[in-house]
Amino acid sequence: MFRSRWSVPARCVYGIYATAVDPLDYQIRRGDYPEYVPLPAIIGHDVSGVVEDVGREVSEFGVRRP
């Protein structure tokens, strides 16, 4: 199994292949929820990809499994 020197014991590194902006994202960007999400905010949390690396304490995910 590939282990990079960047691994954090309880974290995964993901290779992101695609992302999306959905209605909630543009509503946040428009400022519809200022009491919950102060602007500027990072939007686009829907992603697709694979696990590139896992830390030594990670047991539920494996490298290159979508």
Side-chain angles (χ1 to χ4, degrees), residues 10-51:
R11 301 279 174 106
C12 295
V13 174
Y14 298 94
I16 305 301
Y17 295 138
T19 186
V21 176
D22 62 28
L24 180 58
D25 293 319
Y26 67 72
Q27 291 166 353
I28 290 171
R29 177 78 172 129
R30 190 169 57 197
D32 291 357
Y33 305 100
E35 63 277 4
Y36 299 110
V37 185
L39 295 177
I42 296 172
I43 60 172
H45 295 93
D46 297 328
V47 297
S48 175
V50 297
V51 176

